[in-house]
Amino acid sequence: MPTRTPDDDRIALMQGTLDLLILRTLLHGPCHGQGIARAIQRQSEEVFFVDHGSLYLALQRLEDKAWIGAKWGVSENHRKARFYSLTAKGRAQLVDKTSQWRRLVRAIGTILGPEEQEG
């Protein structure tokens, strides 16, 4: 039987979920891509792992929708990086998408019912 590694407990994020988490992370202020990925991983207590390919595609998609803006700057390790920030349109989407997500969670919770103890 194979042994479990910490990576086995991580969950890949679906596209819409990743978009929501990026918007939520940027609510705290501008951040570069690597910082966004680390914040999501840290805030999820290491459950979510953000694949860099998925992250940068999502950032581009959100920028194309004008939900986020980007400017070049220098990161904490003195490297050139794009810093992303939430736009007014992005804030409105964050409110809407958060409401949708909470309705989805309630509906799934209702279907799954209370957790049962295994015995």
Side-chain angles (χ1 to χ4, degrees):
M1 183 160 111
T3 58
R4 289 180 59 96
T5 66
D7 288 343
D8 292 338
D9 292 331
R10 290 190 176 157
I11 298 171
L13 294 172
M14 296 180 292
Q15 177 178 314
T17 305
L18 179 56
D19 292 357
L20 175 62
L21 295 177
I22 291 169
L23 294 175
R24 178 69 173 110
T25 300
L26 293 176
L27 187 61
H28 302 292
C31 193
H32 56 79
Q34 188 68 20
I36 293 168
R38 282 193 302 255
I40 292 170
Q41 188 171 340
R42 185 178 56 251
Q43 290 174 7
S44 72
E45 298 177 344
E46 309 296 322
V47 173
F48 295 145
F49 173 76
V50 181
D51 173 73
H52 289 133
S54 299
L55 173 68
Y56 288 101
L57 286 172
L59 289 168
Q60 184 61 55
R61 183 175 52 251
L62 295 173
E63 193 174 1
D64 290 346
K65 292 178 179 181
W67 294 357
I68 64 173
K71 291 182 181 178
W72 285 102
V74 178
S75 69
E76 58 277 356
N77 61 0
H78 308 291
R79 293 189 178 180
K80 187 175 177 182
R82 289 190 79 187
F83 283 78
Y84 300 90
S85 57
L86 198 56
T87 64
K89 191 173 179 182
R91 285 180 190 276
Q93 284 299 313
L94 176 59
V95 170
D96 184 52
K97 299 296 182 191
T98 300
S99 176
Q100 289 177 16
W101 180 254
R102 288 187 173 137
R103 284 191 356 250
L104 174 68
V105 168
R106 278 193 306 272
I108 290 172
T110 299
I111 293 168
L112 294 178
E115 289 187 35
E116 296 181 21
Q117 297 291 327
E118 290 189 31

